[in-house]
Amino acid sequence: RADGGSASNEMMLLGGHTGTHIDALCHVSHQGRLFGGHDAAAAQVGGRFKVHGVETIPLMFCRGVVLDIAGLHGVPVLEPGTPITAGDLERAADRQGVEVKAGDAVLIRCGWPVHWKDPETFVGHHHGVPGPDESAAAWLADRRIRLTGAETIAYECIYPGRGHALLPVHRMLLV
């Protein structure tokens, strides 16, 4: 990608990014490196990752926190291409009376599933998709959460007309 990032995808008989899924640390690299400095090209020789594959994710049992960003803004669904910021996460947590703590699973609600039956809107290549921006990724990382997710196709703000060309939130949280 233009910013030096790259990504890989798992090999399955169905697309891995078409619904519920979890990204392993090998999913995204930057400047040819995976999390921990591993060489991304060398790590995947032979068709299977030698480090950070999804099979290395340990069993998770932790507290879950849902931050309702659509509710924070008083709407059932956020508009396409709306960035969810660190300020949004902080205000939603305060509004809901929760504190995001180390080890938490933090889920972000933006209402996007209402578009599930409209693939063009749901994927958002033309009009965008709401999602966390880099400030939100930094906010979550600073709290040392265990995992995070949302009900969109990519855990990113997809800006109108840009598609999935850049994935800075993935890079920040996975690399």
Side-chain angles (χ1 to χ4, degrees), residues 64-161:
V65 175
V66 177
L67 297 177
D68 183 1
I69 306 304
L72 174 70
H73 290 282
V75 296
V77 59
L78 295 179
E79 291 294 319
T82 301
I84 296 170
T85 67
D88 289 325
L89 299 181
E90 186 74 42
R91 285 189 301 278
D94 288 346
R95 178 178 183 254
Q96 294 171 217
V98 298
E99 179 185 352
V100 173
K101 300 177 182 178
D104 283 350
V106 179
L107 304 177
I108 296 175
R109 182 190 169 276
C110 61
W112 206 242
V114 301
H115 300 301
W116 177 250
K117 293 184 179 180
D118 177 0
E120 185 174 331
T121 300
F122 190 79
V123 173
H125 286 297
H126 300 294
H127 297 84
V129 176
D133 70 3
E134 290 171 272
S135 73
W139 189 89
L140 292 164
D142 286 347
R143 282 152 183 77
R144 303 186 54 79
I145 63 165
R146 181 175 304 239
L147 66 98
T148 186
E151 78 276 56
T152 59
I153 195 162
Y155 190 84
E156 298 273 344
C157 179
I158 306 298
Y159 295 96

Side-chain angles (χ1 to χ4, degrees), residues 1-74:
R1 295 192 165 102
D3 69 349
S6 63
S8 65
N9 215 6
E10 61 279 325
M11 184 187 311
M12 301 187 308
L13 298 175
L14 58 116
H17 283 77
T18 57
T20 301
H21 70 280
I22 189 167
D23 290 342
L25 288 176
C26 66
H27 177 56
V28 173
S29 66
H30 186 68
Q31 304 292 351
R33 298 285 172 197
L34 298 171
F35 175 79
H38 296 278
D39 182 275
Q44 61 185 315
V45 171
R48 180 178 176 180
F49 277 91
K50 293 172 181 59
V51 294
H52 301 318
V54 73
E55 74 281 0
T56 67
I57 298 173
L59 178 66
M60 289 180 240
F61 185 79
C62 60
R63 185 177 83 127
V65 175
V66 177
L67 297 177
D68 183 1
I69 306 304
L72 174 70
H73 290 282

